Amino acid sequence: MSCTNVLLAPSSTSTKMDGSSTQLNATLICAPIMADSVDQMLADLAKAKIRGADLVEIRLDSLKTFTPRVDINNLIKGSPLPTLFTYRPKWEGGQYEGDEEYRFDALQLAMELGADYVDVELKVASEFIVSIREKNLKKSKIIISSHNYENTPSVEELGNLVAKIQEAGADIVKIATTALDITDVARMFHITAHSQVPIIGIVMGDRGLMSRVLSAKFGSFLTFATLEPGVVSAPGQPTLKDLLDIYNFRSIGTDTKVYGIIGKPVGHSKSPILYNEAFKSVNFNGVYTHLLVDDISSFFHAYSSTDFVGFSVTIPHKEAAVDCCDEVDPIAKSIGAINLVVRRESDGKLFGYNTDFVGAITAIEDGLRGSEEVTASADSPLKGKLFIVIGAGGAGKALAYGAKLKGARVVIANRTYDRARELAEVVGGEAISLADLATFHPEDGMVLANTTSIGMQPRIDETPIPKEALKHYTLVFDAVYTPRMTRLLREAEECGATVISGVEMFIGQAYEQYERFTGLPAPKELFRKIMSKY
């Protein structure tokens, strides 16, 4: 389904003293508290307050020992934030395996003692509501929840589920599904944006991250964020720190424009840190997020709204992205790969560009000029150099094209020789297999550029070429920037070569992307300051 023409309620704004407006949203941030003791829970409740949560979800099913009246009373009194009590049974993804009546009694007790919210599963909601009907427990709001750990149903099925949860007596509807593909999130956005009742809509898993980051844009009552990385109550939850500090969650409203990096894998990318910090520095109303995409064509079809306006594209989608665009910049068309897609607001058309080769080639030229072997000249220091490109994908094409443009003699080394040959024919170069690279040294003073993901986290011990072969190169560039100093660069430096990190390419290509995203000059000093931390 497409997010096109989603109708959204206007968000509220506040006006600063200088007359500018700051975007606000009503979506709450809830921190799950999952400790195995009440004492640890009380400590975590204090942490949640300090770290910026609006409320806490106290997961009673995580406690190893539990004395209901005493423990719940202590937790409510000791919480500096509003409380949501959940006692999740194993059959709905929790840890509780005991008697249902005991579980109901504990949730009812939480209501009696002053809990702000309790969460009850749809499967037993009617039974639970009957059990409390005669009691005056109006202070507590009842969240009735449905969890699907298999998939995300159709929009029609989700709509029917919302109606069923409402009929069961929910004050707040909660639906959590699983993302098999990032396009599944679009269906949840459709439901939350059109809901006439308070609703929590979450799509679990790494492909569902966007549902959490953009929950305020699409009208979710709350989103969940964890105190610590990895300590999650459901797959795909970001940390409080990331949600607030990286994604600027408090500034996201219904009119916030969405940007992101499309890739697979993509979680290692520092792009959200870079762009969101830059957006924040000039009060630009946009948010930039990781987009774990399996099929880029399906992604653009699902998110065809002009709310989704700008995308960085990385491995393995740079070549496939060309066919998704309505227009492609002539240089990018020559390369046959793009790393930037911008949607025009007036008609929704997609425009593709390649900023990879400028960032990388400039960094390599600067590195050569900084070495003692290169004298000042009007020509590129790459002119006449033997330039070896490892990889024949999108980034490889960009580097090969850029080097050829600068007068270098280009050789493509790739695991699949046929792909290397295809690219070599396009740029007028030679081709070898990656296996042959270890013994390939027709001359000294060559330049090597790795454009593959070999050596990227988590496989940081890998390298595309033996150390012994690196003595024939005067400069080695690695497009990988996580880690900054890859094994390839470390060994090249030990062999006496000038090394250029992928961070230089990353920053260089980001300048043009930011300007095309925002229409504003790139904050170059800020970009370098941010990336110096990594």
Side-chain angles (χ1 to χ4, degrees):
M1 74 65 63
S2 168
C3 280
T4 308
N5 299 323
V6 169
L7 301 176
L8 301 172
S11 60
S12 58
T13 60
S14 68
T15 304
K16 294 181 179 179
M17 292 180 69
D18 63 3
S20 63
S21 293
T22 301
Q23 192 73 40
L24 300 175
N25 66 65
T27 299
L28 304 172
I29 301 176
C30 181
I33 306 298
M34 298 189 66
D36 58 12
S37 72
V38 171
D39 285 345
Q40 185 57 53
M41 279 190 169
L42 289 168
D44 288 345
L45 291 171
K47 283 183 191 175
K49 170 72 172 177
I50 292 167
R51 295 182 188 180
D54 298 307
L55 73 156
V56 286
E57 180 189 34
I58 296 172
R59 287 291 298 264
L60 296 175
D61 51 303
S62 71
L63 290 170
K64 285 187 175 176
T65 59
F66 178 41
T67 307
R69 181 168 293 276
V70 173
D71 291 343
I72 292 172
N73 189 54
N74 287 339
L75 287 164
I76 291 173
K77 286 186 175 179
S79 177
L81 294 169
T83 54
L84 157 59
F85 278 82
T86 300
Y87 204 177
R88 189 77 71 216
K90 201 154 191 179
W91 49 261
E92 187 87 354
Q95 299 179 49
Y96 180 73
E97 295 184 87
D99 177 66
E100 279 293 277
E101 187 176 345
Y102 180 84
R103 190 170 75 89
F104 278 14
D105 287 345
L107 289 173
Q108 184 175 310
L109 186 58
M111 296 175 76
E112 290 174 3
L113 293 172
D116 297 278
Y117 307 91
V118 294
D119 181 315
V120 183
E121 301 74 25
L122 175 60
K123 184 177 177 181
V124 295
S126 297
E127 185 182 343
F128 178 77
I129 287 174
V130 166
S131 74
I132 64 169
R133 186 169 289 160
E134 305 300 322
K135 302 186 179 181
N136 184 20
L137 302 171
K138 291 182 179 178
K139 182 184 185 301
S140 299
K141 298 287 187 185
I142 296 177
I143 298 171
I144 295 181
S145 60
S146 170
H147 296 78
N148 183 332
Y149 292 96
E150 302 297 323
N151 55 38
T152 298
S154 68
V155 169
E156 183 180 2
E157 289 171 309
L158 288 172
N160 291 338
L161 183 57
V162 171
K164 188 175 180 181
I165 293 173
Q166 280 183 265
E167 288 168 9
D171 295 305
I172 299 162
V173 171
K174 178 186 174 186
I175 299 175
T177 64
T178 298
L180 302 181
D181 190 277
I182 196 169
T183 57
D184 295 344
V185 181
R187 300 197 286 280
M188 187 63 77
F189 285 157
H190 183 91
I191 293 298
T192 58
H194 287 84
S195 179
Q196 302 300 308
V197 297
I199 185 168
I200 303 164
I202 293 161
V203 187
M204 298 179 286
D206 292 340
R207 289 167 176 78
L209 173 66
M210 185 167 57
S211 72
R212 300 175 185 279
V213 174
L214 301 180
S215 56
K217 178 174 176 62
F218 291 100
S220 185
F221 179 75
L222 63 77
T223 191
F224 293 90
T226 67
L227 292 178
E228 308 293 343
V231 185
V232 300
S233 60
Q237 288 173 352
T239 63
L240 269 165
K241 181 175 174 55
D242 285 356
L243 201 61
L244 292 169
D245 296 349
I246 294 180
Y247 298 111
N248 304 322
F249 184 82
R250 301 294 188 196
S251 297
I252 299 173
T254 56
D255 57 350
T256 298
K257 296 298 185 183
V258 181
Y259 303 81
I261 178 160
I262 293 170
K264 183 184 179 182
V266 76
H268 66 281
S269 174
K270 300 296 187 290
S271 293
I273 297 170
L274 192 76
Y275 290 107
N276 286 322
E277 185 66 25
F279 290 168
K280 185 178 181 180
S281 72
V282 292
N283 291 320
F284 182 78
N285 190 14
V287 61
Y288 188 107
T289 185
H290 292 105
L291 302 167
L292 179 55
V293 171
D294 296 282
D295 184 286
I296 193 167
S297 177
S298 297
F299 173 84
F300 283 127
H301 178 72
Y303 300 100
S304 57
S305 158
T306 51
D307 279 335
F308 294 82
V309 292
F311 311 93
S312 309
V313 183
T314 189
I315 295 170
H317 299 304
K318 294 184 179 188
E319 294 163 279
V322 174
D323 294 331
C324 298
C325 294
D326 297 292
E327 292 186 30
V328 177
D329 178 78
I331 292 176
K333 190 173 287 186
S334 298
I335 295 170
I338 59 179
N339 70 317
L340 169 63
V341 177
V342 178
R343 175 172 276 122
R344 188 163 63 190
E345 191 163 2
S346 60
D347 58 11
K349 285 190 173 181
L350 297 175
F351 290 78
Y353 306 90
N354 193 304
T355 67
D356 273 339
F357 82 101
V358 174
I361 294 297
T362 300
I364 290 168
E365 286 179 320
D366 290 346
L368 287 171
R369 288 191 184 102
S371 72
E372 295 177 1
E373 298 173 32
V374 177
T375 57
S377 168
D379 292 328
S380 167
L382 279 170
K383 187 175 182 181
K385 284 279 186 186
L386 196 57
F387 191 100
I388 318 300
V389 179
I390 301 175
K397 287 182 175 181
L399 268 289
Y401 178 91
K404 190 70 176 180
L405 206 62
K406 297 292 185 174
R409 296 169 291 139
V410 177
V411 175
I412 311 298
N414 194 58
R415 277 187 177 139
T416 307
Y417 175 76
D418 286 345
R419 287 208 69 191
R421 192 185 69 244
E422 287 171 15
L423 178 53
E425 287 174 357
V426 170
V427 299
E430 296 180 42
I432 61 173
S433 71
L434 185 58
D436 292 334
L437 187 60
T439 56
F440 180 81
H441 45 83
E443 60 189 67
D444 289 331
M446 300 183 292
V447 174
L448 181 69
N450 174 43
T451 68
T452 72
S453 61
I454 297 171
M456 187 173 75
Q457 286 179 346
R459 298 190 301 275
I460 60 173
D461 293 328
E462 294 181 4
T463 183
I465 180 172
K467 181 178 180 179
E468 175 66 20
L470 292 170
K471 65 185 179 184
H472 302 288
Y473 294 90
T474 188
L475 182 144
V476 175
F477 164 83
D478 197 340
V480 172
Y481 67 88
T482 52
R484 186 185 191 113
M485 183 59 77
T486 60
R487 178 183 170 188
L488 171 63
L489 294 185
R490 186 174 66 253
E491 293 182 347
E493 192 171 58
E494 290 168 359
C495 290
T498 298
V499 298
I500 305 293
S501 165
V503 171
E504 296 303 317
M505 174 181 170
F506 176 75
I507 293 174
Q509 58 85 31
Y511 293 154
E512 184 179 342
Q513 293 206 16
Y514 178 86
E515 291 176 357
R516 289 193 182 275
F517 286 159
T518 66
L520 301 170
K524 295 183 179 182
E525 287 185 18
L526 177 63
F527 277 11
R528 289 204 166 272
K529 181 181 176 183
I530 293 167
M531 291 310 296
S532 69
K533 301 173 185 176
Y534 301 96

